Amino acid sequence: MMMPEITPEAQAELDKALYDALNPLASAIRSRETGLPADRIWDADPVEVALSVLAAWKVVDAEVKRLTAHAAATAGSYGASYEQLGAVWGITRQGARKKWPDAVSRPAPPTSTLELFGGTAALVQASSGGWSWTGKGADGVSRAADEGTCHPSAEEAAAHAGAFLKEHALDAVGRP
């Protein structure tokens, strides 16, 4: 997606609309800070007046950031990727992920279930791409892959989980 261009005319209209929206906020901040009546709030030291305008822009800036995050989250909820969000904002995919960390929902890691020897094991793909497992044998013993163990493929994780399930199987009369 290309960055939207704004014409000089549209920029002038935007500036006017922003100043028109800012003036009541700046006036309210100035009145609150000085205690002066509405018709005299701008009768002050020019530095103080300029600082009240700056304070109003800070409020507007915070609101724009909040609304921007909401727009990014809305786009993400409809399936936009961080790459697309970054392209629109003129930043990288990584920059968009940092700016709006919760905007794009990540699908749950892929899992599959293995049922062998009367027990079950769940194979789970880690965010790193490797695979791990947790299982419960037919004899009721539960175990997970060793801490920090990440198998390079689902098949290898399944082999380790299957070996565990075999060790904890019941024989034909229900004994381990």
Side-chain angles (χ1 to χ4, degrees), residues 66-98:
R66 185 186 71 78
L67 292 172
T68 300
H70 181 71
T74 300
S77 74
Y78 285 116
S81 67
Y82 279 115
E83 186 175 355
Q84 291 170 309
L85 295 175
V88 167
W89 203 250
I91 58 178
T92 64
R93 172 184 53 81
Q94 296 87 345
R97 185 183 308 268
K98 185 176 179 181

Side-chain angles (χ1 to χ4, degrees), residues 35-46:
L36 293 173
D39 62 338
R40 295 196 48 233
I41 59 174
W42 298 108
D43 296 340
D45 176 23

Side-chain angles (χ1 to χ4, degrees), residues 28-171:
I29 290 171
R30 186 80 192 124
S31 179
R32 190 173 53 241
E33 288 177 358
T34 64
L36 293 173
D39 62 338
R40 295 196 48 233
I41 59 174
W42 298 108
D43 296 340
D45 176 23
V47 170
E48 294 301 319
V49 170
L51 289 174
S52 4
V53 171
L54 182 61
W57 280 120
K58 181 175 179 8
V59 171
V60 170
D61 182 56
E63 185 62 10
V64 167
K65 286 178 181 169
R66 185 186 71 78
L67 292 172
T68 300
H70 181 71
T74 300
S77 74
Y78 285 116
S81 67
Y82 279 115
E83 186 175 355
Q84 291 170 309
L85 295 175
V88 167
W89 203 250
I91 58 178
T92 64
R93 172 184 53 81
Q94 296 87 345
R97 185 183 308 268
K98 185 176 179 181
K99 187 169 193 61
W100 305 296
D102 299 322
V104 175
S105 60
R106 294 174 185 90
T111 62
S112 59
T113 303
L114 182 65
E115 295 182 16
L116 291 171
F117 308 108
T120 60
L123 306 176
V124 180
Q125 188 173 23
S127 59
S128 65
W131 289 81
S132 187
W133 62 273
T134 59
K136 183 172 183 177
D139 62 358
V141 173
S142 295
R143 185 166 151 212
D146 294 332
E147 184 71 29
T149 300
C150 204
H151 303 287
S153 68
E155 292 78 11
E156 187 173 328
H160 286 272
F164 163 77
L165 294 174
K166 184 176 181 182
E167 287 175 28
H168 296 278
L170 298 177
D171 66 13

